[in-house]
Amino acid sequence: MDTTAVDERVHAVVRDDGTTPRVLVTGVTGYIGGRLVPQLLAAGYRVRAMARHPERLADRPWADDVELVEADANDADQLRRAMDDVDVAYYLVHSLGSGSDFEQLDRYTARTFASSARAAGVSRIVYLGGLYPEGEHLSKHLGSRKEVGDIFLASGVPSVVLKAAVIIGSGSASFEMMRNLTEMLPAMVTPKWVRSRIQPIAVRDVLRYLVGAARLPGGTNRGFDIGGPDVLTYRDMMQGYATIAGLKPRVIVPLPVLTPRLASRWVGLVTPVPKKIAAPLVGSLVHDVVCKESDIRTFVPDPVGGLIGFQESVRLALTRIREFQVETSWRSASLRGAPSEPLPTDPDWAGGVLYVDDRSTVVHAPPEHLWAVLQGIGGENGWYSFQLGWWTRGVMDQVFGGPGLRRGRRDPLHLSVGDALDWWRVEAVERGRLVRLRAEMRLPGLAWLDLSVETGAEAKEAGRLGADTPDDAVVFHQKALFHPRGLPGRLYWTGIVPFHAVVFGGMQRNVARAAENAYRANPDADALMRDQAEAVRTRDRAA
């Protein structure tokens, strides 16, 4: 746990009855919310974490230290119950990447949240919004963030609205966009907004301000600009990143004809950030976003050593990435509109047609080695099958607005429930036993992929392997399920069935071979994992 928030100046104030305030945190499956929870705990607050699917938080390291509550931010009754006996409510949800109606959705959700907080007697709302210039026509994204802040300030509940520009930290969408543009393109033509002035801020300092906002004087109802010590252009930031990452200086040629719409499509193809998220981020970069005041320092003093500068924040982010310590990522938040239904019970599912591709292979290696391969699948490690086919399908998905394969994975060796994995979302993990993935690609239906470790006895009992299979055999079981949506879904499945032997059959053979090769190379499974980690670090250093 990062304990940068453990500072008496931002620590929870103990009340006369010996208790500390109870805070409600929304957006806990997202980038900021998932990092704020442990910071609030470290600062002594009692934390209630709100999520639509709290069971997906079970493997978070802080899950046992908080009160998990199930609620939807758009449901007033559920919110009212979640806010019962809450002192401070953190609003960290937004509709970034949700589609053309995101402004309307943000407006409705903010009003619902504000009215529920007022009815529940919440003493303060804390909102992290966007930094914007005064007197200019704002992009849709920044305009919506400003409107949400204004809704809270006019709600009758004392509200603290923190306004930040680009947040620099491992896993933030803004940082990943900048990092990938810089690393992938030694020379680029860019929109003229690369000359816009920006005051970036390190995610650690954002978290410190968020924690400190809970103890501002009662009745405080205003916005605060928050930013780091540096003011740079976006071009400066890319060149600065290149220097810190050991890359050659980039050739950057601004063109006035490259519109934000075109730029967002380009960013969506070049970086892991999909167009639906890149578009509002790019649209906001047309503005100069520099702090107009620094009043927050009156209430939340700078940490010892001062705020983190741009170069140091990049170094910290890269260190986290290289050491596999990316706590949360922009990928962590589920995409609105992506399927969220649990896997239907098979075979007694009453939901209609369910297509299944079911395959099993005996693996001549211990189960630990097979598991090491399965939990490392995807991202840079690939999918152990027809690579051109996966790549082509990924590009098609990106073209039609899906995530494609560029999201990669948060950690190259371990998976947790809720992680994005290329165009999949990890829906279930049983350590040493099962990884269940739910598709978030553009599909005329719902799809899942189960990858599991079985014994020969289990495979025989289920009728997946013959009676001559030894009971103690190690079996790789792979099951793809597809619930079609109408005729287009049925035609889609029919059209791809001929490729299953290549894609899924190849995965069966190649995963088994990879586990067997890993066993021959290193019979000690723990040592194998250490070797894999070192191999990834070496690859990253070489890249």
Side-chain angles (χ1 to χ4, degrees):
M1 178 186 296
D2 185 353
T3 56
T4 55
V6 183
D7 182 323
E8 288 299 323
R9 294 173 295 179
V10 295
H11 206 275
V13 177
V14 180
R15 298 183 291 204
D16 293 339
D17 62 0
T19 65
T20 56
R22 175 179 282 111
V23 300
L24 175 73
V25 183
T26 62
V28 291
T29 60
Y31 176 66
I32 292 293
R35 297 191 180 203
L36 179 61
V37 168
Q39 295 288 293
L40 288 166
L41 290 170
Y45 288 95
R46 294 178 292 162
V47 178
R48 180 178 293 165
M50 186 185 103
R52 286 176 295 174
H53 302 283
E55 67 278 3
R56 296 178 183 174
L57 301 170
D59 62 349
R60 299 294 174 96
W62 40 261
D64 293 336
D65 301 320
V66 305
E67 178 187 356
L68 296 176
V69 60
E70 179 179 349
D72 189 316
N74 291 314
D75 189 309
D77 292 335
Q78 292 181 6
L79 276 176
R80 174 65 182 81
R81 291 192 293 271
M83 290 179 176
D84 184 49
D85 195 29
V86 163
D87 299 289
V88 179
Y90 284 88
Y91 185 83
L92 300 173
V93 298
H94 58 76
S95 301
L96 183 66
S98 65
S100 58
D101 63 340
F102 77 90
E103 295 166 290
Q104 179 180 347
L105 183 60
D106 273 340
R107 184 182 307 118
Y108 175 81
T109 307
R111 287 173 176 169
T112 303
F113 192 87
S115 61
S116 300
R118 185 170 58 249
V122 171
S123 300
R124 168 168 297 148
I125 293 172
V126 179
Y127 168 59
L128 177 61
L131 189 61
Y132 57 85
E134 298 287 353
E136 294 186 21
H137 177 72
L138 300 178
S139 68
K140 290 178 66 175
H141 171 55
L142 274 186
S144 179
R145 303 303 289 271
K146 178 182 183 300
E147 182 185 21
V148 168
D150 291 342
I151 288 171
F152 291 140
L153 294 173
S155 67
V157 179
S159 298
V160 175
V161 177
L162 301 177
K163 295 175 283 188
V166 173
I167 296 176
I168 304 296
S170 59
S172 87
S174 298
F175 177 72
E176 288 299 308
M177 189 171 81
M178 178 190 69
R179 179 169 82 96
N180 281 273
L181 284 174
T182 308
E183 289 185 351
M184 294 189 66
L185 301 174
M188 66 192 92
V189 293
T190 64
K192 60 183 179 181
W193 49 251
V194 295
R195 300 189 181 115
S196 297
R197 297 170 66 244
I198 300 167
Q199 191 164 354
I201 182 169
V203 66
R204 295 191 185 191
D205 289 328
V206 172
L207 294 170
R208 179 183 173 82
Y209 284 135
L210 284 168
V211 174
R215 57 174 288 171
L216 264 62
T220 302
N221 188 61
R222 58 161 293 185
F224 295 93
D225 293 353
I226 60 172
D230 303 312
V231 176
L232 305 163
T233 66
Y234 202 82
R235 173 193 273 180
D236 293 337
M237 291 167 61
M238 286 194 289
Q239 296 290 23
Y241 176 88
T243 299
I244 295 164
L247 304 172
K248 294 180 180 179
R250 277 20 204 165
V251 178
I252 302 173
V253 181
L255 293 178
V257 295
L258 197 56
T259 66
R261 182 182 180 87
L262 289 174
S264 64
R265 288 184 177 275
W266 167 59
V267 169
L269 288 173
V270 174
T271 79
V273 182
K275 182 176 72 70
K276 283 190 174 183
I277 294 178
L281 292 177
V282 167
S284 300
L285 292 173
V286 302
H287 305 289
D288 287 337
V289 280
V290 179
C291 294
K292 298 172 287 296
E293 45 83 14
S294 57
D295 297 349
I296 189 66
R297 294 181 176 181
T298 303
F299 305 101
V300 185
D302 290 351
V304 176
L307 299 174
I308 301 171
F310 173 77
Q311 291 192 347
E312 180 61 18
S313 65
V314 170
R315 289 191 186 96
L316 289 169
L318 287 177
T319 298
R320 290 276 188 173
I321 292 169
R322 289 165 180 165
E323 295 181 356
F324 316 141
Q325 295 179 357
V326 180
E327 187 178 354
T328 61
S329 166
W330 64 271
R331 302 168 175 85
S332 305
S334 297
L335 299 173
R336 178 175 170 237
S340 59
E341 295 86 344
L343 182 74
T345 302
D346 179 39
D348 300 321
W349 185 52
V353 176
L354 185 65
Y355 295 121
V356 179
D357 185 284
D358 198 313
R359 299 168 188 265
S360 294
T361 298
V362 172
V363 180
H364 301 289
E368 296 83 6
H369 289 72
L370 175 56
W371 177 248
V373 173
L374 294 183
Q375 71 170 345
I377 203 164
E380 292 290 331
N381 296 325
W383 290 90
Y384 295 94
S385 66
F386 183 38
Q387 294 296 335
L388 179 60
W390 281 90
W391 179 85
T392 302
R393 185 63 180 87
V395 171
M396 290 172 59
D397 193 53
Q398 281 186 276
V399 169
F400 288 101
L405 295 175
R406 289 193 175 275
R407 288 194 304 188
R409 46 185 293 160
R410 177 183 58 85
D411 184 301
L413 299 177
H414 302 93
L415 292 175
S416 297
V417 173
D419 278 356
L421 181 56
D422 293 326
W423 61 48
W424 306 91
R425 178 79 53 183
V426 180
E427 188 167 85
V429 176
E430 297 175 20
R431 300 295 172 189
R433 175 77 177 173
L434 167 75
V435 173
R436 175 169 296 147
L437 306 175
R438 172 170 41 87
E440 291 186 336
M441 69 186 87
R442 295 290 184 179
L443 285 173
L446 307 174
W448 294 264
L449 180 63
D450 272 9
L451 307 172
S452 58
V453 181
E454 286 188 343
T455 65
E458 290 170 321
K460 286 191 296 184
E461 183 178 356
R464 289 192 279 270
L465 290 178
D468 59 340
T469 304
D471 286 350
D472 61 351
V474 176
V475 177
F476 169 36
H477 179 217
Q478 171 186 304
K479 181 165 66 174
L481 300 100
F482 182 69
H483 172 47
R485 186 180 298 117
L487 179 60
R490 298 187 184 210
L491 292 175
Y492 172 82
W493 180 264
T494 302
I496 65 172
V497 163
F499 299 98
H500 283 181
V502 176
V503 175
F504 292 136
M507 185 182 294
Q508 280 278 294
R509 293 187 298 274
N510 294 331
V511 164
R513 188 179 300 118
E516 291 163 358
N517 290 341
Y519 176 56
R520 283 193 291 268
N522 198 332
D524 184 334
D526 292 335
L528 171 66
M529 293 297 294
R530 290 193 296 270
D531 290 347
Q532 287 179 329
E534 183 56 35
V536 173
R537 292 190 181 97
T538 301
R539 182 180 65 201
D540 289 346
R541 285 193 293 267

